[in-house]
C-alpha cells in the first residue's frame, strides 16, 4: 500500500509533469468519413505544432498522409479550421507555410499545388473546404500588400482540380459554410457584416438553380450556425431565435420548423470553421450532442421526435459525422483525453484513435464539479454564473489540517468560449500539486443561451471581472480555498480579464499569469486582423468614438493600481495580440517595482504550439507562484526557477 504523507499545498510531488503534458500529445481536430475510411487531423506539439492528416482504413491500420513539414492548417480569420477535406480518396488541404491549396490524389503520396503562389506572402488563404463535383468549395480570404485589415476580402469560391477559380459569393464582409445541395445546383452559405460576429448576427442564404437568393434564417439579433443539407433536400441548422442554439429544419418547399430545443445551447460560437454537433443518418434519424449540467450527452432523434440519450463514459463530443448507421466523433471525459470514437446507435462504441498512454493511475485525476454561484445582476439582469471546480487530488499526499489549498482561477478565451468536462493534463498539472482549480463560465460564455451570452455586451472588463471575483470569493467563503492565496490565469481574452482583475480589483488575487493577454484595448481595436477588427464595438463601445471607454477599461492605463505579482508569456509572431502589448505591461510593472516575470517565445503565434514552449510556460508559471505564494517545488522534477524581477 502507498503511504500517504502530509505536505504543504502546491508542493506535492506528482507524475503529471510538463514533460508528460506534451509527451506524444496531439490536439484532435476535424474528422472526415470517406467511404469506409475515417480521417482526422492531429496537431502535434512534438512536431513543432504542425497539423498532420491521419487515415484509418477498415482493417484498423492508420497512416499519416504526408510527412513533416507539411502542415494542414489555414490562417483564414487567423483561427482557421476546416483546412482540409477528403472525397473519393482525393485529399485537398491548405498548407500553413504558404497558404496555397494542395491536392493529393488517391494512391499518391505527393502533394500537388492547385493554386498559384500569391503575390503577397500568405496573402491568399483557403478554409472551410468541402468537396463539390471535381473540385472544392472554399472560403477564400485575400489580403493586399498594405496589410490593412479593412482591405481583406472574403468570398465563397469553387476551385477546380486544375486551379481554375469561380467566385460564387462576394460582397458580404464574411462568409462561411458554403454547401451544395444534393441536387448539385442549389447553394447555401452563411454571411455576416461588421460590426457583428457570427454569434451576434448571421444569415443563412440559399441560392436556387435559377440564381434567385433568399435569406432563409437569421438576421439582426439572431445567429445561425452549422447548416447541413439532407439527402431529401431538407436543410438543417442551429438557430438561437429561442434564446439557445436549437436545431431547426426546412423541408423541401416547406416552412421552417423547430426540431429540438433542450434549453441549452447545442452549438457553440464559430471561432473556427468546420464544427459539427449533429449528423444526419440515411434512415432519417439525427444524432445530436448537447450539454447539461456541465457535460455533454450524445442523443438520437427519431423522425417522430423521440429523443434517446446514448449511454457513454464521455462528457464532451464534437466533430459528429455520419458513418453509415453510426457516427464518428471526437469524444473525451473527466478521466479521458479526447479520442476518435465510432458510436453505433445501439450505444456500442469503438475507439478508432485512442488517447495516448499516460501511465498514470486515474486516481491522480481530479473530477470536476459543475457549480452555479451568485453574481451581480445589475444591468444584465442575469444574477448567476457557472464554473467547473477541480479539487486538489493526489493519492499519495494530503495537505495540513490547518491549511487550505491555493485557488487557481482559469479564465477562458473568446470571451465566448466555455469550460469543458474533459481530461486536461494542463489542469491536472495543478490539482495534483495541491491547487484547487476553478474553470469559470462567466457571463458572456456560451452554452447557457443568448441572454447569458449577451450579458457581456458593452460590459467586457466589468461583468467578467465581477464573475471571476465572485467565484473566487464564493469558494473562499465556503472554506474550500485559502483567501490569501487566490491566483488567476488566462490566455487571449482570458489574459485580458486576468490583467484587468489584478488592476481593477486589487487585493482579491495574490498572483496572476497572462498568456498573450490584451493589455491595451485601444491598440487591439486599432490594429488587429479583419475577423475581430470590429469585435470590440459590441463588447466595449464603437471605435474610435468610444475611445474614452477603451482607455477606462485598459489595464495599461491604470497600472498605478497594479501591485500584484504577474507573470507574462507571449509569442513573438502573435498577430491577434502583438507582443508590444505585453511589453507595455511589463515596462509598467518594472517601473513600479512590482514582482514580475516575462517570457517571449520565438516563432509562436496566438497560442503556444511547440512542446518546449508549452513546457516552459507551465513550469515557469508554477515556479512564479512558488516564489510569490511561498511554497517549495518538488526537487525531483528539476524545474528551473523562472526569473522574477522585483
Amino acid at each position: 500500500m502507498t503511504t500517504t504523507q502530509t505536505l504543504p499545498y502546491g508542493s506535492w510531488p506528482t507524475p503529471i509533469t510538463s514533460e508528460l503534458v506534451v509527451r506524444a500529445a496531439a490536439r484532435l481536430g476535424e474528422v472526415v468519413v470517406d467511404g469506409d475510411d475515417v480521417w482526422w487531423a492531429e496537431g502535434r506539439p512534438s512536431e513543432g505544432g504542425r497539423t498532420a492528416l491521419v487515415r484509418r482504413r477498415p482493417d484498423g491500420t492508420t497512416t499519416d498522409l504526408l510527412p513533416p513539414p507539411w502542415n494542414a492548417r489555414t490562417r483564414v480569420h487567423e483561427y482557421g479550421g476546416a483546412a482540409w477535406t477528403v472525397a473519393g480518396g482525393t485529399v485537398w488541404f491548405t498548407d500553413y507555410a504558404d497558404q496555397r491549396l494542395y491536392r493529393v490524389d488517391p494512391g499518391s503520396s505527393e502533394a500537388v499545388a492547385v493554386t498559384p503562389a500569391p503575390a503577397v506572402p500568405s496573402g491568399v488563404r483557403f478554409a472551410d473546404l468541402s468537396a463539390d463535383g471535381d473540385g472544392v468549395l472554399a472560403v477564400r480570404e485575400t489580403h493586399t500588400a498594405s496589410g490593412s485589415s479593412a482591405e481583406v476580402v472574403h468570398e465563397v469560391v469553387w476551385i477546380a482540380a486544375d486551379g481554375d477559380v469561380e467566385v460564387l459569393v462576394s460582397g458580404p464582409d464574411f462568409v462561411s459554410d458554403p454547401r451544395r445541395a444534393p441536387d448539385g445546383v442549389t447553394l447555401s452559405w452563411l454571411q455576416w457584416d461588421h460590426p457583428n460576429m457570427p454569434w451576434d448576427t448571421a444569415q443563412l442564404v440559399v441560392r436556387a438553380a435559377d440564381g434567385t437568393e433568399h435569406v432563409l434564417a437569421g438576421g439582426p439579433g439572431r445567429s445561425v450556425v452549422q447548416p447541413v443539407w439532407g439527402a431529401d433536400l431538407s436543410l438543417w441548422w442551429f438557430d438561437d431565435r429561442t434564446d439557445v442554439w436549437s436545431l431547426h429544419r426546412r423541408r423541401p418547399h416547406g416552412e421552417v420548423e423547430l426540431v429540438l430545443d433542450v434549453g441549452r445551447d447545442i452549438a457553440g460560437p464559430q471561432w473556427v470553421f468546420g464544427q459539427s454537433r449533429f449528423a444526419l443518418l440515411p434512415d432519417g434519424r439525427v444524432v445530436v450532442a448537447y450539454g447539461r449540467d456541465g457535460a455533454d450527452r450524445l442523443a438520437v432523434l427519431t423522425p417522430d421526435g423521440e429523443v434517446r440519450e446514448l449511454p457513454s463514459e464521455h462528457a464532451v463530443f464534437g466533430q459528429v459525422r455520419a458513418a453509415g448507421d453510426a457516427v464518428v466523433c471526437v469524444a473525451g471525459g473527466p478521466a479521458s483525453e479526447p479520442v476518435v470514437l465510432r458510436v453505433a446507435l445501439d450505444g456500442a462504441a469503438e475507439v478508432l484513435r485512442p488517447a495516448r498512454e499516460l501511465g498514470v493511475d486515474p486516481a491522480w485525476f481530479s473530477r470536476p464539479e459543475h457549480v452555479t454561484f451568485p453574481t451581480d445582476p445589475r444591468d444584465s439582469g442575469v444574477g448567476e454564473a457557472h464554473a467547473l471546480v477541480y479539487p486538489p487530488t493526489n493519492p499519495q499526499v494530503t495537505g495540513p489540517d490547518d491549511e487550505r489549498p491555493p485557488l487557481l482561477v482559469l479564465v477562458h478565451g473568446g470571451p465566448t468560449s466555455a469550460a469543458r468536462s474533459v481530461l486536461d493534463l494542463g489542469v491536472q498539472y495543478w490539482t495534483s500539486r495541491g491547487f484547487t482549480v476553478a474553470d469559470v463560465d462567466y457571463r458572456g460564455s456560451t452554452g447557457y443561451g443568448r441572454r447569458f451570452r449577451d450579458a457581456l455586451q458593452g460590459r467586457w472588463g466589468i461583468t467578467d471581472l465581477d464573475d471571476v471575483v465572485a467565484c473566487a470569493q464564493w469558494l473562499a467563503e465556503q472554506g474550500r480555498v485559502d483567501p490569501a492565496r487566490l491566483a488567476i490565469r488566462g490566455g487571449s481574452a482570458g489574459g485580458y480579464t486576468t490583467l484587468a482583475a489584478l488592476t481593477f480589483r486589487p487585493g482579491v488575487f495574490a498572483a496572476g499569469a497572462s498568456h498573450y493577454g490584451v493589455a491595451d484595448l485601444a491598440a487591439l481595436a486599432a490594429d488587429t486582423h479583419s475577423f475581430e477588427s470590429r469585435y470590440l464595438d459590441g463588447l466595449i463601445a464603437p471605435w474610435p468614438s468610444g475611445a474614452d471607454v477603451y482607455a477606462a477599461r485598459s489595464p495599461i492605463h491604470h497600472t498605478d493600481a497594479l501591485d500584484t505579482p504577474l507573470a507574462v508569456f507571449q509569442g513573438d509572431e502573435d498577430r491577434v495580440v502583438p507582443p508590444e502589448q505585453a511589453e507595455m505591461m511589463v515596462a509598467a510593472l518594472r517601473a513600479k517595482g512590482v514582482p514580475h516575470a516575462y517570457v517571449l517565445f520565438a516563432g509562436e503565434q496566438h497560442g503556444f504550439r511547440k512542446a518546449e514552449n508549452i513546457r516552459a510556460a507551465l513550469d515557469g508559471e508554477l515556479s512564479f507562484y512558488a516564489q510569490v505564494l511561498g511554497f517549495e517545488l518538488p526537487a525531483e522534477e528539476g524545474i528551473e526557477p523562472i526569473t522574477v524581477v522585483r
Side-chain angles (χ1 to χ4, degrees):
M1 295 181 63
T2 301
T3 301
T4 300
Q5 58 181 327
T6 300
L7 292 173
Y9 290 103
S11 66
W12 298 355
T14 172
I16 305 176
T17 63
S18 65
E19 189 277 330
L20 180 64
V21 170
V22 301
R23 183 201 309 160
R27 293 181 298 273
L28 296 180
E30 295 91 353
V31 172
V32 173
V33 177
D34 182 41
D36 293 329
D37 293 337
V38 178
W39 294 73
W40 60 83
E42 292 186 5
R44 298 172 178 170
S46 62
E47 297 181 14
R50 87 170 182 113
T51 298
L53 301 183
V54 183
R55 178 184 190 178
R56 185 185 192 275
R57 298 181 183 273
D59 63 4
T61 59
T62 60
T63 54
D64 285 4
L65 175 68
L66 295 169
W70 292 106
N71 186 356
R73 180 178 160 210
T74 177
R75 291 187 58 186
V76 175
H77 293 179
E78 296 299 330
Y79 298 101
W84 62 283
T85 192
V86 187
T90 298
V91 180
W92 305 76
F93 72 97
T94 298
D95 186 62
Y96 184 73
D98 57 12
Q99 293 297 293
R100 296 170 70 183
L101 186 66
Y102 290 82
R103 187 186 76 251
V104 180
D105 293 325
S108 174
S109 59
E110 297 294 325
V112 177
V114 177
T115 57
V120 178
S122 299
V124 181
R125 310 169 182 181
F126 302 93
D128 215 353
L129 305 183
S130 63
D132 184 56
D134 60 353
V136 289
L137 291 169
V139 171
R140 182 176 69 180
E141 181 178 279
T142 305
H143 296 247
T144 64
S146 73
S148 169
S149 63
E151 297 177 2
V152 176
V153 175
H154 298 91
E155 300 167 304
V156 173
V157 298
W158 181 82
I159 308 166
D162 62 5
D164 283 348
V165 176
E166 178 185 359
V167 177
L168 301 179
V169 180
S170 185
D173 289 338
F174 299 97
V175 289
S176 75
D177 295 84
R179 302 291 184 265
R180 190 82 68 178
D183 63 7
V185 180
T186 307
L187 180 71
S188 66
W189 68 91
L190 299 179
Q191 65 182 39
W192 65 98
D193 293 310
H194 284 311
N196 296 302
M197 301 300 286
W199 47 86
D200 298 324
T201 292
Q203 297 176 319
L204 173 57
V205 184
V206 176
R207 178 184 294 161
D210 62 4
T212 59
E213 299 177 3
H214 70 283
V215 176
L216 182 58
R222 280 177 55 189
S223 172
V224 178
V225 293
Q226 299 177 31
V228 175
W229 286 99
D232 62 352
L233 293 182
S234 61
L235 185 56
W236 301 68
W237 66 90
F238 292 116
D239 192 322
D240 67 357
R241 68 188 180 114
T242 63
D243 182 56
V244 296
W245 273 307
S246 299
L247 189 61
H248 290 69
R249 170 182 59 191
R250 188 202 64 175
R251 300 179 189 270
H253 313 297
E255 298 294 322
V256 172
E257 56 184 329
L258 173 64
V259 178
L260 180 65
D261 184 338
V262 298
R264 289 280 303 272
D265 288 323
I266 302 177
Q270 187 174 287
W271 278 101
V272 297
F273 298 100
Q275 299 178 75
S276 177
R277 291 278 282 179
F278 76 108
L280 307 177
L281 273 60
D283 62 5
R285 289 182 291 180
V286 183
V287 178
V288 184
Y290 55 78
R292 185 174 69 245
D293 299 328
D296 279 350
R297 273 72 174 171
L298 197 65
V300 180
L301 174 65
T302 64
D304 61 6
E306 178 189 356
V307 178
R308 176 173 60 89
E309 293 186 359
L310 300 175
S312 179
E313 63 185 14
H314 297 96
V316 174
F317 299 95
Q319 290 295 311
V320 182
R321 309 290 183 184
D325 59 355
V327 293
V328 175
C329 60
V330 174
S336 170
E337 291 187 310
V339 301
V340 178
L341 192 70
R342 177 186 281 121
V343 182
L345 296 202
D346 62 3
E350 177 189 7
V351 175
L352 305 183
R353 196 280 186 193
R356 56 184 167 153
E357 180 54 56
L358 298 173
V360 175
D361 190 299
W364 287 90
F365 301 149
S366 178
R367 269 53 168 196
E369 173 193 359
H370 183 263
V371 302
T372 299
F373 56 90
T375 191
D376 190 345
R378 288 177 295 178
D379 296 322
S380 71
V382 178
E384 64 182 24
H386 312 271
L388 292 178
V389 177
Y390 296 80
T393 302
N394 187 313
Q396 298 179 359
V397 185
T398 60
D401 291 339
D402 61 350
E403 184 181 341
R404 284 172 287 177
L407 171 68
L408 185 58
V409 172
L410 303 187
V411 191
H412 63 64
T416 57
S417 187
R420 302 193 313 152
S421 185
V422 63
L423 179 63
D424 181 349
L425 291 193
V427 171
Q428 306 298 328
Y429 176 92
W430 301 101
T431 56
S432 63
R433 297 169 190 278
F435 281 78
T436 295
V437 172
D439 197 351
V440 181
D441 278 343
Y442 49 87
R443 287 168 292 175
S445 306
T446 47
Y448 307 92
R450 187 175 190 109
R451 183 166 172 260
F452 190 88
R453 189 168 78 245
D454 282 352
L456 199 61
Q457 287 293 299
R459 294 182 58 79
W460 192 33
I462 299 175
T463 297
D464 48 323
L465 300 198
D466 288 344
D467 293 357
V468 296
V469 168
C471 181
Q473 293 178 335
W474 182 73
L475 290 170
E477 289 166 1
Q478 291 189 328
R480 297 173 65 168
V481 298
D482 183 350
R485 293 191 294 170
L486 309 178
I488 184 170
R489 75 188 300 259
S492 190
Y496 164 69
T497 301
T498 296
L499 295 173
L502 300 185
T503 303
F504 300 119
R505 302 290 196 275
V508 176
F509 296 100
S514 169
H515 297 250
Y516 41 92
V518 179
D520 187 346
L521 294 170
L524 182 65
D527 181 24
T528 192
H529 57 106
S530 175
F531 180 59
E532 291 186 86
S533 60
R534 299 289 302 278
Y535 187 20
L536 301 190
D537 282 25
L539 289 176
I540 305 290
W543 175 262
S545 61
D548 56 336
V549 182
Y550 285 73
R553 296 191 200 167
S554 293
I556 194 62
H557 298 307
H558 301 276
T559 54
D560 56 315
L562 178 60
D563 58 5
T564 303
L566 174 67
V568 179
F569 303 91
Q570 177 70 37
D572 72 347
E573 295 181 4
D574 193 337
R575 179 69 181 86
V576 178
V577 180
E580 290 78 12
Q581 293 208 30
E583 287 159 7
M584 287 191 297
M585 203 70 185
V586 170
L589 291 164
R590 185 182 301 112
K592 286 197 65 180
V594 177
H596 65 278
Y598 178 49
V599 180
L600 182 67
F601 294 117
E604 291 284 15
Q605 295 87 42
H606 197 62
F608 308 143
R609 294 174 177 269
K610 298 177 181 179
E612 62 271 23
N613 295 337
I614 295 171
R615 291 194 63 188
L618 262 178
D619 289 342
E621 186 175 345
L622 174 64
S623 171
F624 182 77
Y625 293 147
Q627 294 180 59
V628 300
L629 297 182
F631 58 86
E632 297 295 326
L633 297 181
E636 57 268 27
E637 282 193 60
I639 295 174
E640 183 176 346
I642 196 172
T643 299
V644 177
V645 179
R646 300 179 184 272

